[in-house]
Amino acid sequence: MSAEGGLRLYGYWRSSAAYRVRIALNLKGLPYETVPVHLVNNGGEQHAEAYRRLNPQELIPVLQDGGRIVRQSMAIVEYLDEAYEGHCKLLPTPARDRARVRALAQIVACDVHPLNNLRVLQYLEREFNVPPVERERWSRHWIVEGFRAFEELLAENPSTGQFCEGDDPSLADVCLIPQVYNARRWDVDLSPFPTIQRIDEHCRKLPAFADARPEAQPDAPPV
Amino acid sequence: MSAEGGLRLYGYWRSSAAYRVRIALNLKGLPYETVPVHLVNNGGEQHAEAYRRLNPQELIPVLQDGGRIVRQSMAIVEYLDEAYEGHCKLLPTPARDRARVRALAQIVACDVHPLNNLRVLQYLEREFNVPPVERERWSRHWIVEGFRAFEELLAENPSTGQFCEGDDPSLADVCLIPQVYNARRWDVDLSPFPTIQRIDEHCRKLPAFADARPEAQPDAPPV
């Protein structure tokens, strides 16, 4: 694929937001080039001038589609879904179902993940002297809060299927699976969330999800 | 309007997320009934059992559209846009422009507002003993970080018009204006953000935005 015409993902192997976009690209069968941006080395490569020109927020991921720059992981996933319509759809058609999928995705993207971001944990350490064990408790707290509601909304609704919405993967799964990966990283007890666990197990068996996992990325450190 | 067939918004006058939905409803010309949920009185009415049944996240806003429950402010706004197509559109048509609008909205909804939520400030106080002055600095920090990027993305792009995207209001303005309101509440210096200020001034003159402001709500305390 040429650099000009193809898709290029600026990301980081362990970033939950980049992981979402990788799943979406794989589900839609879109090949892409990975450009690693190391979030810690060199004072954080996302703060470098060249990267700032791509994204003044100094956050990853960024998607380059030919000459077009798309920012924010959720906006990127919806962009891919709209710009590459012929492929697997990541949002269902009825407005009601779209709203349910987006609301589930936003539990993760608006109410869990933003609180457990690297820059937020860095602020807690730097400005408030919050020790590591308390920062981990903070991270677990917001994951458990979010998953409690997410589980309830899955368990109560008959439209939950093999995936969050029916038997096709959607934006909700695209957000959920990276958050479950993070939950494991923070040793969150997942036993109160059986539906989340079932969907996570199902998804992780599929190549689109398996190939997107952090450890499978070119910039992941060797095991 | 009947309770069964109409639109009902569960919200709180000063909630930034409810404010977004009020603007969207007004822009689309959709009449709605307000159901106030007081976030502090009675230990927080969003934690009451009756409300929990509407939203297990115990957060506002929730939109009831006849028998349908829609959660998460951003999902609600997109739902309104898709379910009430005949009205003013809150997202443009081309995928490229939609992605830009969503990315701007998500700077606020995913990277600023979640950090300055009531429950987060309560956690900082309760668990980390962060004093009020430091909690205010925390709130200002994330607003300034977000606005710095938001301003740059507005200023650099020729598609910025009277509103964030061209000369029609969109999801980006729906998110921006409540965040500017919050910024004023926290005494953020807005002078580094001239384009944000210009769009905010333009929007606040319009009835859809003016009628949605916190002080105009039935549950706002008397001045």
Side-chain angles (χ1 to χ4, degrees), chain A residues 81-95:
Chain A
D81 211 35
E82 293 172 353
Y84 296 91
E85 280 191 88
H87 305 245
C88 150
K89 290 294 291 169
L90 299 179
L91 281 163
T93 303

Side-chain angles (χ1 to χ4, degrees), chain A:
Chain A
M1 182 195 336
S2 79
E4 289 75 21
L7 291 163
R8 200 180 245 182
L9 178 64
Y10 293 79
Y12 179 62
W13 65 285
R14 213 163 53 176
S15 151
S16 179
Y19 190 175
R20 290 174 199 156
V21 179
R22 294 193 301 258
I23 297 170
L25 286 160
N26 292 347
L27 283 170
K28 295 194 76 79
L30 296 166
Y32 65 97
E33 183 192 343
T34 295
V35 185
V37 179
H38 202 290
L39 298 186
V40 181
N41 288 356
N42 307 314
E45 293 176 357
Q46 73 278 25
H47 304 304
E49 193 46 39
Y51 187 77
R52 260 193 59 75
R53 275 196 293 274
L54 278 178
N55 187 5
Q57 263 200 297
E58 303 175 27
L59 293 174
I60 56 154
V62 161
L63 182 79
Q64 190 171 359
D65 183 3
R68 190 173 296 171
I69 301 295
V70 190
R71 303 171 184 94
Q72 288 282 348
S73 63
M74 303 273 283
I76 294 171
V77 175
E78 293 227 30
Y79 167 78
L80 288 171
D81 211 35
E82 293 172 353
Y84 296 91
E85 280 191 88
H87 305 245
C88 150
K89 290 294 291 169
L90 299 179
L91 281 163
T93 303
R96 179 194 54 221
D97 301 342
R98 295 165 74 81
R100 178 171 184 258
V101 164
R102 287 195 183 110
L104 288 170
Q106 288 166 19
I107 290 179
V108 169
C110 299
D111 294 324
V112 177
H113 179 250
L115 295 158
N116 297 347
N117 240 331
L118 177 65
R119 60 184 194 143
V120 174
L121 299 175
Q122 285 171 339
Y123 190 105
L124 291 177
E125 180 181 10
R126 191 182 64 236
E127 306 293 332
F128 298 155
N129 295 310
V130 176
V133 62
E134 287 298 308
R135 297 201 300 274
E136 285 175 29
R137 197 163 65 90
W138 158 281
S139 295
R140 278 194 298 269
H141 174 81
W142 301 115
I143 295 171
V144 169
E145 282 284 293
F147 276 9
R148 196 180 45 70
F150 203 115
E151 173 70 26
E152 209 167 316
L153 293 172
L154 289 178
E156 78 176 17
N157 198 314
S159 70
T160 303
Q162 290 190 289
F163 296 91
C164 291
E165 172 67 29
D167 293 327
D168 294 303
S170 73
L171 177 66
D173 309 287
V174 160
C175 287
L176 177 62
I177 287 6
Q179 190 57 64
V180 176
Y181 173 90
N182 263 352
R184 285 209 190 82
R185 223 183 121 198
W186 298 115
D187 280 326
V188 171
D189 173 16
L190 293 173
S191 63
F193 315 118
T195 321
I196 290 177
Q197 278 190 289
R198 173 177 67 72
I199 291 171
D200 176 64
E201 271 163 42
H202 178 67
C203 287
R204 285 192 295 139
K205 281 182 207 140
L206 306 174
F209 288 84
D211 295 347
R213 75 187 190 285
E215 290 72 19
Q217 304 316 305
D219 55 329
V223 185

Side-chain angles (χ1 to χ4, degrees), chain B residues 99-173:
Chain B
R100 179 171 183 258
V101 164
R102 288 197 183 109
L104 288 170
Q106 289 167 18
I107 290 178
V108 169
C110 299
D111 293 324
V112 177
H113 179 252
L115 294 158
N116 297 348
N117 240 329
L118 178 64
R119 61 184 193 142
V120 174
L121 299 175
Q122 285 172 338
Y123 189 106
L124 291 178
E125 181 181 10
R126 190 181 64 235
E127 306 291 333
F128 299 155
N129 295 309
V130 175
V133 63
E134 286 298 308
R135 296 201 299 272
E136 284 176 28
R137 198 163 63 89
W138 157 280
S139 295
R140 278 195 297 271
H141 174 81
W142 301 115
I143 295 171
V144 169
E145 282 283 294
F147 276 10
R148 196 180 46 70
F150 204 114
E151 173 69 26
E152 209 167 317
L153 293 172
L154 289 178
E156 77 175 17
N157 198 315
S159 69
T160 304
Q162 290 189 289
F163 297 91
C164 290
E165 172 68 26
D167 293 327
D168 295 303
S170 73
L171 176 67
D173 309 286

